[in-house]
Amino acid sequence: MIYEERIYKIMPGRVPDILDRFTNHALPLFEKHGMKLVGFWQTVIGPSNHELTYLLAFEDANHRDRAWAAFMADPAWIKAKADSETNGVLVAEVANRILAPTPFSPLQ
């Protein structure tokens, strides 16, 4: 099992819009494409309150690559992304890390 941590820096004033996009579009598509959501967080104390972090679980790197390719090519995602950005982009920057659990990690 591997985990992907994704940190999104959201454009000022657009946090409600991206939360709506995840809730109503991205999360159901994650499930459709076999992307297991482990957790999702909004920064409340830190350098920015315009930041979202989430963690996805995959069987291995090949599973991750296949799932992301299918997600990005899904017409429902393409439409949802375009519709949610009619007033400008929502995400200023994305950082991601691929994480492998240590032998003593509760998540394996």
Side-chain angles (χ1 to χ4, degrees), residues 60-76:
D60 54 35
N62 288 330
H63 173 216
R64 177 192 172 273
D65 292 346
R66 287 189 317 271
W68 272 116
F71 176 89
M72 296 302 283
D74 192 307

Side-chain angles (χ1 to χ4, degrees), residues 47-95:
S48 171
N49 64 351
H50 291 89
E51 197 172 72
L52 298 174
T53 302
Y54 64 96
L55 195 65
L56 297 169
F58 297 97
E59 294 167 14
D60 54 35
N62 288 330
H63 173 216
R64 177 192 172 273
D65 292 346
R66 287 189 317 271
W68 272 116
F71 176 89
M72 296 302 283
D74 192 307
W77 168 245
I78 294 166
K79 180 177 179 353
K81 184 175 187 302
D83 289 350
S84 67
E85 293 184 340
T86 57
N87 294 320
V89 298
L90 302 182
V91 179
E93 183 181 328
V94 177

Side-chain angles (χ1 to χ4, degrees), residues 3 5 7 10 16 19-20 34 53 57 60 70 85 95 99:
Y3 298 89
E5 176 192 49
I7 302 168
I10 310 305
L19 291 175
D20 179 71
T53 302
D60 54 35
E85 293 184 340
L99 308 169

